[in-house]
Amino acid sequence: AQSVTQPDIHITVSEGASLELRCNYSYGATPYLFWYVQSPGQGLQLLLKYFSGDTLVQGIKGFEAEFKRSQSSFNLRKPSVHWSDAAEYFCAVEAGSYQLTFGKGTKLSVIP
Amino acid sequence: EAGVAQSPRYKIIEKRQSVAFWCNPISGHATLYWYQQILGQGPKLLIQFQNNGVVDDSQLPKDRFSAERLKGVDSTLKIQPAKLEDSAVYLCASSPRTEAQETQYFGPGTRLLVL
């Protein structure tokens, strides 16, 4: 069965600093990969997704992610964090059946 | 385009009581999902509908949870009787199911507290 690991439970960065959130997946074939963001009291909003092709994927709000098959990773990056980026971030994998398996999430705090 | 609607947004009940959550997916979306998100964890799929049929309910605790999607549109998730460990956010999502890989669109969730 597929699984997703987000090693960092909580990350704090200063506003304007760069950000990288880690995601590792376990799945036998090429997965479909997603990053979602959840603000307090809100549902999940899709940031970006990878299905095939270019391994560097651009998303909304200035986020990007890179799929690395050799490392089974799909890390999320942003060159300069804004205070409004403070939220919880979830990596997810779809491995058939149109079902998502989520990681436990990484909470991002931003210091002004 | 209106998003996925859920109600109520918050619910507090005592254990052994029953509760129901309602979801209205995005118009035209064939697939509907219910997820349970316990504090500190990612969402976990409970049940998946395709139109008004169940695709997968393998992770639904059927002794207390039930769900239906009448007429392939709105859906209701019910818990009866509730347990303390059912305290969570219940998220509804929908997708159009027109491509091999679909984006799921999530509602704001219903936050349930069982006392």
Side-chain angles (χ1 to χ4, degrees):
Chain A
Q2 66 275 9
S3 65
V4 176
T5 301
Q6 293 181 247
D8 304 306
I9 296 174
H10 191 185
I11 285 181
T12 300
V13 299
S14 297
E15 192 168 16
S18 63
L19 171 70
E20 183 169 29
L21 302 181
R22 296 183 291 165
C23 171
N24 293 97
Y25 67 90
S26 173
Y27 181 57
T30 300
Y32 305 135
L33 295 160
F34 303 79
W35 274 100
Y36 282 86
V37 61
Q38 186 177 36
S39 299
Q42 302 297 315
L44 281 77
Q45 180 184 20
L46 180 69
L47 286 175
L48 47 78
K49 57 188 178 184
Y50 171 78
F51 291 156
S52 65
D54 193 345
T55 56
L56 185 62
V57 180
Q58 301 298 320
I60 63 171
K61 303 185 180 185
F63 285 92
E64 66 178 26
E66 186 171 12
F67 170 59
K68 293 186 177 180
R69 185 189 305 274
S70 61
Q71 298 176 20
S72 298
S73 69
F74 188 56
N75 294 350
L76 181 71
R77 300 193 294 249
K78 186 169 185 178
S80 177
V81 170
H82 189 263
W83 64 266
S84 60
D85 293 324
E88 191 152 21
Y89 292 79
F90 292 93
C91 181
V93 59
E94 186 206 312
S97 303
Y98 304 87
Q99 295 177 7
L100 294 177
T101 299
F102 286 88
K104 292 188 175 182
T106 297
K107 183 177 180 180
L108 174 66
S109 296
V110 180
I111 300 173
Chain B
E1 179 181 76
V4 177
Q6 292 188 246
S7 68
R9 292 296 308 276
Y10 305 92
K11 191 74 176 179
I12 301 174
I13 62 172
E14 295 187 350
K15 60 183 179 182
R16 291 189 288 274
Q17 286 186 325
S18 62
V19 64
F21 313 130
W22 173 82
C23 173
N24 181 233
I26 293 173
S27 178
H29 279 197
T31 309
L32 185 147
Y33 308 81
W34 282 103
Y35 289 86
Q36 180 191 58
Q37 185 179 16
I38 293 173
L39 186 65
Q41 298 186 19
K44 184 188 81 169
L45 180 69
L46 292 175
I47 188 168
Q48 176 187 356
F49 291 94
Q50 174 73 8
N51 297 311
N52 61 350
V54 175
V55 174
D56 186 350
D57 64 357
S58 59
Q59 299 190 78
L60 188 72
K62 299 181 189 61
D63 58 333
R64 298 183 300 106
F65 286 65
S66 64
E68 60 182 6
R69 190 183 183 195
L70 300 177
K71 301 180 181 178
V73 182
D74 294 6
S75 178
T76 302
L77 177 69
K78 296 179 181 178
I79 308 175
Q80 182 179 9
K83 292 185 175 182
L84 296 178
E85 58 261 35
D86 297 331
S87 294
V89 177
Y90 291 85
L91 295 165
C92 179
S94 69
S95 67
R97 195 71 177 272
T98 56
E99 302 174 4
Q101 309 90 24
E102 285 293 354
T103 295
Q104 294 184 24
Y105 297 86
F106 285 80
T110 295
R111 189 175 299 272
L112 173 67
L113 178 61
V114 182
L115 302 176

